[in-house]
Amino acid sequence: MEVTTQGEWLAADLGRWLAELTFVDLDADAVTARVIDSVVRWAEAQGWRVYRRAPSVLPLPPPMGQRHSVLDVACARPDGPPVVVEVDHTDRARTVQKLHAEADAGRIPIWVRWGVGRFTAPPPPVRMVTVEVTRRAGPAGRGRLHSRGGDRPAPAHSTGGGTVAAQALPIPLTDPDADAGKGVGSES
């Protein structure tokens, strides 16, 4: 299978895997971490060696040009070229540049973008996998919260607003007087 076809197939397979991902009310950093964890589980399920924060072939911009950028996930495969995955919720030109450099080095680049939509596909050979989420304003100081599938918690106004005092049942559960005159098989 040629590299282009492998990239398409792998991106589609990862997309199916990520379609099962659900979470409720996470901030942006937690969503990114959850998506990366899911990508790692996908790669491990393939039997690949998986590396988090692996060095990229792309050096950092000046003044740190002696150091290299890092990849969110890199996978060594026994039956094909390595696969590299970047996870972002913003459209970063630097990510596309990094993934193109990885492709030039013989790796299969996949860009996982998550957000509310409006994803712009990168130029080939970078493959994009999207993870659509919903978002809402979080509590003061927490920023936006993101959810995907699953059940969202009920809003605060629908919880009943407090506790209700226990009420005694109007009918006793057992009435010894009603059962005293009745025997088994007798008719009233």
Side-chain angles (χ1 to χ4, degrees), residues 1-14 16 42 48 77 79-83 106-110 124-129:
M1 183 184 307
E2 71 174 277
V3 173
T4 301
T5 306
Q6 284 184 47
E8 291 169 4
W9 185 86
L10 290 168
D13 190 56
L14 178 56
R16 286 187 292 275
W42 167 75
W48 303 337
R77 303 184 311 147
D79 58 348
V83 175
R107 295 169 181 97
I108 296 175
I110 300 175
V126 177
R127 301 284 175 228
M128 180 179 283
V129 174

Side-chain angles (χ1 to χ4, degrees), residues 30-173:
V31 172
T32 298
R34 181 78 52 99
V35 173
I36 290 170
D37 289 345
S38 191
V39 169
V40 167
R41 284 191 301 277
W42 167 75
E44 289 173 341
Q46 313 304 317
W48 303 337
R49 284 190 323 245
V50 180
Y51 304 93
R52 291 175 185 252
R53 300 198 45 81
S56 171
V57 297
L58 187 68
L60 289 170
M64 299 185 305
Q66 305 84 353
R67 298 175 59 193
H68 286 272
S69 186
V70 295
L71 299 158
D72 291 321
V73 180
C75 310
R77 303 184 311 147
D79 58 348
V83 175
V84 294
V85 181
E86 278 290 290
V87 177
D88 289 310
H89 74 281
T90 58
D91 190 9
R92 298 180 58 216
R94 175 86 177 150
T95 298
V96 174
Q97 182 184 15
K98 182 190 321 183
L99 290 172
H100 272 280
E102 294 296 325
D104 291 344
R107 295 169 181 97
I108 296 175
I110 300 175
W111 190 16
V112 177
R113 286 282 316 279
W114 68 266
V116 294
R118 300 181 302 266
F119 304 111
T120 303
V126 177
R127 301 284 175 228
M128 180 179 283
V129 174
T130 60
V131 177
E132 290 200 40
V133 302
T134 59
R135 72 175 174 217
R136 68 180 184 87
R142 226 180 131 198
R144 291 185 173 147
L145 299 178
H146 309 275
S147 298
R148 177 175 170 83
D151 294 326
R152 292 190 61 196
H157 68 274
S158 67
T159 62
T163 59
V164 176
Q167 300 288 321
L169 294 174
I171 303 170
L173 296 177

